[in-house]
Amino acid sequence: MNNILTTIFLSLVILLTSQVHAEQNMKSTIMALHEIDDKVNQTTFNKSGAYEKLAQYQKINEQAKKLEAIARQYANTLHKRAVNNLPIKGEDLSIMRALMNSTILLLEKTSLFTNTFKTSSKVNEIATAQQRLASLIVKINYVKLYRSAVEIFFKNNEVKKVAVEIFNMINNPKQKAVMEKFSEIPQTDQFAQSLQFEANRFVDNHYYYLKLLNPTVTKAVVILEQHNIEQTILGRAIPKLKLQNVGTWFVEIWNRTTNFVSGLFGNFVGAIRFRHGYMKNHQVAVNELYKILRPLDIIAEKTPFAATDFFIPGHFGHIAIYLGTEEQLKQYGLWDVPLVRKYHHLIRQGKTIVESIRPGSRMVSLEDFLEIDEITIIRDRNILNDKWQARMTAEVALEQLWKEYDFNFDISTLDKVVCSEVPYHAFGYKRWPTSYVLGRHTISPDEIIQNAFTKGSGVDFILSLKAKRDRRLNLVSKVEMASNLDIDYNAQEDLFTKKEKKCRTVTTYRHANNRASRYHRRCTTYDKPLIYNDL
């Protein structure tokens, strides 16, 4: 038994010293997190048998170290984004959701081992030392995982807001219970006293452990000393984790109030329509569009006959994602994507478009969508050539279904979604132009379409079709559409530009002693080239 414990314990210690480096892009990060989840789910917990417990914890701890490495690297990305006042992207939401799911899973598994490595009188001195050190390693790594989660998810207010949104969207009662108990285990008197006792015992006896001249015990002492226990554990309180505080409570009240007021206005105005769209029941338009549309195309529309068109800034009033027909989804290998499979029955009914409207997000047919006068199609040039990215985009798009309409127009919310947030989240790997309004980052249909005029974006302008009163269809050129979006075309440089205002504060002086009399803003307008790397 002692030899078995020595072998497993040595493996555990080696795993604790390994370094893992996570890839920075969305695909590799999410795939790495899914791999962590799969390996953690393969582990089992046996209440009896030190051998089995150590063997299983060995596997769990390996994945915990990988998760921490990925999370810390990603935390740096979020920190830089916050410092530069950049909005949370759809890609960030996908990664954060995957990170939180992996964290919950690891917490659930790790908590099983926190009080199971108990000293038995039936084992010898070396085995006793190994078990004591194993117990302390488990507890320290649990606290480390806990502190990492607090630092990554709840330190920055914007990230904390999204983390709370993700938490509120957890549908699995078991997962939610684990997260709700997240702060309780390391903050219970029993856990805190046990951790302090074992840490003190290690500090008092680490020379004794070294004198045992056992290589596995010696290496464990070295690893534990690297944790700097006297500074990081002894006498140090574990930070409290609260999913809401006064700040988030205030933001929530503000959001609910503005959402209610905007909702009343939007529902009232949105119900006013002066006529039907010229493309309604237009079979020629339907046939032509089906020839052109490809899965995961982004489609924007204009309804000048609706009252909302007078209040929504910009040219387009609505935007959505064309998911594709059954035939198309099979052709591009998307028909068997798990979330697509869930909606086979709707797709077979002809509901091929994912959109968010005032009553909430839904799937509709192209025929129903064409209660409009004008439609524009843009396309990620390479989306269907990257099977993994296409599958991920389809899944995230479908995850937006059946959510309430986001009358706050806040791109960082997850439980509610406005029309332009559907492509923003689904194409999270793309950079999109956004606006900062009333303390929140927003994105409009025009800003989504703008990427088709942005050099280096990889988004192509495919078609713009407009129906007139006589129901004749007219093509709108890319340059004409740019003009509708207040975008200018520089033919000489083959580059699109947009007017931008740049302002600075100017001080004027009244007396010779340079005592300032007043401040005022001086602004100039210039043509800003639309270049993807500048977003």
Side-chain angles (χ1 to χ4, degrees):
M1 177 64 179
N2 184 47
N3 290 335
I4 293 175
L5 279 172
T6 300
T7 302
I8 298 302
F9 191 73
L10 177 60
S11 300
L12 173 63
V13 171
I14 291 173
L15 286 169
L16 284 170
T17 62
S18 64
Q19 297 297 320
V20 180
H21 300 283
E23 297 291 334
Q24 293 184 350
N25 61 69
M26 174 184 174
K27 180 176 179 179
S28 60
T29 300
I30 292 180
M31 289 184 71
L33 290 170
H34 286 170
E35 183 180 354
I36 288 172
D37 295 346
D38 290 341
K39 290 186 177 180
V40 171
N41 278 321
Q42 291 170 10
T43 62
T44 57
F45 176 72
N46 189 345
K47 290 185 178 181
S48 62
Y51 172 88
E52 182 62 24
K53 282 186 288 190
L54 283 170
Q56 293 301 313
Y57 182 71
Q58 164 190 336
K59 298 175 183 177
I60 292 171
N61 191 65
E62 179 183 8
Q63 303 312 313
K65 284 183 70 64
K66 290 180 179 179
L67 175 65
E68 184 184 0
I70 293 171
R72 287 198 176 278
Q73 188 173 22
Y74 181 63
N76 291 332
T77 301
L78 291 180
H79 176 71
K80 292 176 182 177
R81 197 178 297 282
V83 167
N84 293 308
N85 197 30
L86 295 174
I88 296 285
K89 299 193 301 179
E91 175 182 79
D92 298 320
L93 299 178
S94 297
I95 293 174
M96 284 187 67
R97 182 169 51 244
L99 273 170
M100 186 167 283
N101 285 336
S102 298
T103 300
I104 290 172
L105 180 60
L106 274 163
L107 282 170
E108 181 182 10
K109 291 285 187 176
T110 304
S111 64
L112 297 174
F113 292 85
T114 54
N115 291 302
T116 61
F117 290 100
K118 297 180 180 179
T119 304
S120 171
S121 59
K122 296 181 181 181
V123 296
N124 60 30
E125 190 176 26
I126 291 176
T128 298
Q130 290 173 348
Q131 288 188 346
R132 286 178 175 177
L133 295 174
S135 175
L136 182 57
I137 286 171
V138 170
K139 287 183 173 65
I140 287 177
N141 277 282
Y142 184 84
V143 171
K144 193 175 180 182
L145 181 64
Y146 173 87
R147 285 175 173 165
S148 295
V150 172
E151 178 182 349
I152 292 164
F153 293 120
F154 297 95
K155 207 170 184 180
N156 177 275
N157 285 332
E158 187 69 16
V159 177
K160 177 166 62 177
K161 177 184 174 184
V162 177
V164 172
E165 293 278 357
I166 295 173
F167 170 76
N168 290 333
M169 290 181 65
I170 297 174
N171 295 321
N172 187 312
K174 186 178 180 181
Q175 279 191 329
K176 196 151 192 171
V178 169
M179 196 61 187
E180 288 172 342
K181 294 290 184 181
F182 185 26
S183 62
E184 295 183 12
I185 291 178
Q187 292 184 89
T188 60
D189 291 339
Q190 180 183 356
F191 182 89
Q193 290 170 8
S194 176
L195 177 63
Q196 292 296 320
F197 172 77
E198 292 183 28
N200 273 299
R201 182 172 61 187
F202 169 76
V203 172
D204 293 340
N205 294 282
H206 72 283
Y207 290 119
Y208 157 74
Y209 293 136
L210 292 173
K211 288 179 180 179
L212 291 176
L213 300 177
N214 180 273
T216 59
V217 172
T218 300
K219 194 151 192 175
V221 170
V222 173
I223 296 303
L224 284 170
E225 285 182 338
Q226 289 176 353
H227 284 288
N228 203 8
I229 290 174
E230 294 184 64
Q231 277 71 44
T232 60
I233 300 296
L234 289 180
R236 183 180 174 187
I238 298 173
K240 292 185 178 181
L241 172 63
K242 293 183 179 180
L243 291 177
Q244 285 187 316
N245 59 19
V246 175
T248 55
W249 173 81
F250 178 80
V251 170
E252 179 66 18
I253 294 299
W254 165 257
N255 284 341
R256 288 186 183 184
T257 302
T258 55
N259 189 76
F260 175 72
V261 174
S262 299
L264 284 179
F265 177 79
N267 284 321
F268 173 73
V269 176
I272 302 175
R273 292 181 173 238
F274 306 109
R275 59 170 171 82
H276 288 294
Y278 293 143
M279 286 192 186
K280 181 178 174 64
N281 299 325
H282 201 307
Q283 196 58 47
V284 174
V286 171
N287 294 340
E288 290 302 312
L289 288 169
Y290 270 131
K291 293 177 184 177
I292 296 166
L293 285 166
R294 298 289 179 269
L296 304 178
D297 280 352
I298 297 174
I299 52 177
E301 52 96 320
K302 185 170 179 62
T303 52
F305 52 87
T308 50
D309 197 68
F310 296 99
F311 295 97
I312 296 175
H315 181 75
F316 293 107
H318 184 54
I319 199 162
I321 292 178
Y322 175 76
L323 186 65
T325 64
E326 177 179 354
E327 181 182 0
Q328 290 175 321
L329 292 169
K330 286 179 176 178
Q331 178 184 350
Y332 291 102
L334 297 173
W335 183 247
D336 291 324
V337 171
L339 210 50
V340 174
R341 195 182 304 125
K342 180 179 178 180
Y343 296 108
H344 277 180
H345 64 293
L346 293 180
I347 297 169
R348 282 171 171 152
Q349 292 173 18
K351 296 182 178 181
T352 56
I353 294 171
V354 179
E355 67 171 357
S356 177
I357 58 174
R358 287 176 295 105
S361 50
R362 63 177 187 172
M363 290 183 73
V364 294
S365 66
L366 178 61
E367 289 80 358
D368 289 338
F369 185 82
L370 292 181
E371 172 67 293
I372 60 177
D373 285 1
E374 182 182 318
I375 185 171
T376 293
I377 304 170
I378 65 173
R379 178 179 302 156
D380 181 343
R381 188 181 307 141
N382 298 313
I383 184 69
L384 295 178
N385 296 325
D386 185 338
K387 184 170 288 188
W388 186 92
Q389 193 63 72
R391 292 168 67 90
M392 177 63 66
T393 301
E395 288 207 336
V396 176
L398 290 170
E399 284 176 354
Q400 310 313 311
L401 286 174
W402 323 127
K403 293 182 180 180
E404 295 180 18
Y405 192 80
D406 181 16
F407 287 103
N408 284 326
F409 306 99
D410 186 346
I411 60 178
S412 66
T413 57
L414 293 178
D415 59 333
K416 298 179 178 68
V417 64
V418 73
C419 67
S420 50
E421 292 169 11
V422 175
Y424 176 82
H425 292 325
F427 293 84
Y429 57 93
K430 288 286 186 186
R431 293 195 294 273
W432 302 99
T434 58
S435 301
Y436 193 71
V437 182
L438 295 176
R440 55 178 70 89
H441 288 282
T442 68
I443 188 165
S444 67
D446 280 18
E447 287 171 321
I448 293 287
I449 297 298
Q450 182 177 307
N451 252 7
F453 301 87
T454 301
K455 187 175 182 178
S457 69
V459 177
D460 293 328
F461 177 88
I462 301 301
L463 173 78
S464 188
L465 197 62
K466 184 176 182 179
K468 294 190 175 181
R469 189 172 184 176
D470 59 7
R471 293 174 62 82
R472 285 187 301 174
L473 299 175
N474 295 277
L475 289 174
V476 180
S477 72
K478 184 175 181 178
V479 173
E480 288 176 307
M481 180 52 64
S483 178
N484 292 335
L485 300 173
D486 294 323
I487 295 173
D488 298 318
Y489 178 59
N490 185 328
Q492 186 175 357
E493 297 184 17
D494 190 25
L495 191 69
F496 289 92
T497 63
K498 195 173 179 67
K499 299 291 184 185
E500 289 282 343
K501 183 183 287 187
K502 190 174 184 179
C503 300
R504 61 189 178 94
T505 301
V506 178
T507 306
T508 58
Y509 299 96
R510 180 179 300 171
H511 302 294
N513 61 3
N514 287 340
R515 184 172 296 174
S517 60
R518 58 187 288 253
Y519 300 93
H520 64 274
R521 300 280 286 170
R522 181 172 294 171
C523 300
T524 57
T525 302
Y526 69 101
D527 292 325
K528 180 183 178 181
L530 297 182
I531 299 175
Y532 188 65
N533 289 336
D534 293 341
L535 291 178

